Amino acid sequence: MKPKILLTGKGGQVGSELHCFLPTLGDLVAPDRRELDLLDPDSIRRVVRNIRPQLIVNAAAYTAVDAAESDEANARAVNAIAPAVLAEEAKKLDAAIVHYSTDYVFDGAKAAPYEEMDPANPISVYGKTKLAGEQAIRNTGVPHLIFRTAWVYATRGRNFLLTILRLATEKEELRIVRDQIGAPTWSLEIAAATTKIVAQVVERGSATSAFSEVSGTYHLTAAGETTWYDFARAIIEEASHTSQSIPWFAAATSGRPLATRHIIPITAQEYPTAAARPAYSVLSNSRVVPKFGVVLPDWRTQMQRCFVSESIPAKLLAD
Ligand SMILES: NC(=O)c1ccc[n+]([C@@H]2O[C@H](COP(=O)([O-])OP(=O)(O)OC[C@H]3O[C@@H](n4cnc5c(N)ncnc54)[C@H](OP(=O)(O)O)[C@@H]3O)[C@@H](O)[C@H]2O)c1
């Protein structure tokens, strides 16, 4: 039997891709923020009890990393309290939960890819609230898959890729941080990998027993690593031979030609932000690959695939 799936965050980078993929696995119910406000635990309980899903996929989050520094209560409500309530409700229904977390749970002091068991030590409010969300889900004892991902971008929303494309049409010179290392990951790859993994689990049987067998935290990012500076260079190089006939690209550049001639590497210290970011936050995917046989391509291949992706899926545009 196809499970009933409740998806949160269908308007987000990862959520919008899941909104396209998850109907292949079950009956999808995807309330938007007006129908399910994660700032309001009573709203969460009411909606979950009404829908009675076998699986909750929580793609919603408070992702404004810098704003979170001065808006901790709301960041905590969405990133820590809401996942706790979703997990408690899932447990009562004998359901399972899929949740996303972040490389920013680590402090960045390591010099080799982080494993799932490495101690977390977030250095930002966002990272702290996301870690609290992970822990709350684990504490309920509900069968769960927590996927930690990183440096997410998409052809929609607010992200580094779209910011660089806009700036590249406006400025002759860009100054980009070179002393932070991570793995830029395309939202569509995260959603596709999630769907493949959930499909495998669902095939094994009922939500509770099948998800219990694989329950845990998994890193799920693009392979390889780069800096924001090298990512920006790669974006502009790719953009230089991308056609304006690709709708999302035309929207990102407002149909204008590239103006950037120089990209200057700078340090994080030269680009102060409200939130501190880890200097090194590459995650090792060595747990998810053998467990589920799902391998995400390296960051550059993902970016190239993103550039030739046609457009926002029509289904989303129709919503
Ligand atoms: N973005 C990154 O670079 C990054 C990096 C590592 C991990 N992650 C994690 O990956 C997951 C997906 O991130 P993303 O980049 O896809 O996020 P996103 O694009 O910022 O989307 C967040 C979604 O959450 C929804 N949301 C926020 N507050 C809400 C509330 N009070 N009630 C209901 N919905 C609410 C938003 O709704 P609206 O559409 O109404 O705004 C939006 O649909 C998150 O768990 C995030 O922490 C992201």
Side-chain angles (χ1 to χ4, degrees):
M1 199 182 75
K2 283 189 153 192
K4 195 174 205 185
I5 304 172
L6 167 61
L7 170 69
T8 68
K10 74 165 171 189
Q13 300 189 94
V14 176
S16 58
E17 304 294 357
L18 286 167
H19 193 228
C20 295
F21 286 126
L22 290 179
T24 60
L25 301 184
D27 297 327
L28 184 65
V29 185
D32 63 19
R33 189 197 285 250
R34 282 165 307 169
E35 297 156 320
L36 169 57
D37 184 359
L38 295 182
L39 288 169
D40 176 2
D42 286 337
S43 153
I44 302 173
R45 289 188 192 100
R46 202 171 45 245
V47 170
V48 177
R49 287 174 196 180
N50 189 26
I51 294 172
R52 303 186 61 79
Q54 277 99 40
L55 176 65
I56 296 175
V57 180
N58 181 31
Y62 185 113
T63 56
V65 176
D66 290 314
E69 293 296 310
S70 54
D71 190 20
E72 180 162 357
N74 283 328
R76 192 162 289 280
V78 177
N79 291 344
I81 298 168
V85 177
L86 286 169
E88 282 160 14
E89 292 301 313
K91 174 106 175 141
K92 285 183 195 151
L93 290 171
D94 257 352
I97 185 165
V98 173
H99 176 76
Y100 296 93
S101 189
T102 170
D103 54 333
Y104 285 10
V105 299
F106 296 114
D107 61 18
K110 211 178 162 190
Y114 281 96
E115 306 288 343
E116 286 81 354
M117 290 307 156
D118 281 328
N121 182 30
I123 56 174
S124 63
V125 167
Y126 168 73
K128 285 177 188 155
T129 60
K130 291 295 293 182
L131 180 62
E134 290 186 7
Q135 288 164 338
I137 290 172
R138 290 185 202 111
N139 289 344
T140 63
V142 74
H144 61 268
L145 294 172
I146 296 173
F147 295 123
R148 285 192 191 132
T149 190
W151 291 31
V152 179
Y153 63 90
T155 55
R156 68 208 305 272
R158 304 181 77 193
N159 58 65
F160 186 81
L161 169 85
L162 296 181
T163 300
I164 291 296
L165 288 176
R166 178 177 53 78
L167 291 175
T169 66
E170 295 170 354
K171 293 179 184 291
E172 197 165 301
E173 181 182 290
L174 299 182
R175 296 161 60 79
I176 310 288
V177 170
R178 191 161 68 176
D179 56 357
Q180 285 168 354
I181 300 172
T185 307
W186 184 19
S187 60
L188 186 140
E189 298 278 3
I190 299 167
T194 302
T195 305
K196 282 183 210 156
I197 291 168
V198 171
Q200 285 180 29
V201 181
V202 165
E203 263 174 31
R204 288 181 206 163
S206 83
T208 334
S209 61
F211 278 94
S212 295
E213 283 169 25
V214 293
S215 192
T217 300
Y218 299 88
H219 290 171
L220 189 68
T221 62
E225 60 182 53
T226 189
T227 67
W228 291 117
Y229 166 78
D230 289 294
F231 185 29
R233 279 172 47 117
I235 290 168
I236 290 178
E237 188 189 321
E238 205 60 38
S240 68
H241 49 82
T242 298
S243 161
Q244 289 287 351
S245 67
I246 294 186
W248 75 264
F249 181 72
T253 55
S254 302
R256 293 183 300 224
L258 301 180
T260 297
R261 300 285 168 263
H262 310 286
I263 309 177
I264 314 289
I266 60 168
T267 63
Q269 238 182 352
E270 291 175 273
Y271 186 76
T273 50
R277 286 159 169 78
Y280 181 90
S281 63
V282 179
L283 306 182
S284 163
N285 291 320
S286 62
R287 185 160 191 235
V288 78
V289 173
K291 190 81 172 183
F292 299 107
V294 169
V295 181
L296 268 69
D298 73 88
W299 69 269
R300 184 122 202 176
T301 306
Q302 291 197 15
M303 189 201 64
Q304 285 162 345
R305 284 186 187 175
C306 175
F307 265 92
V308 295
S309 71
E310 270 299 302
S311 65
I312 303 162
K315 183 176 180 310
L316 285 175
L317 295 174
D319 279 351

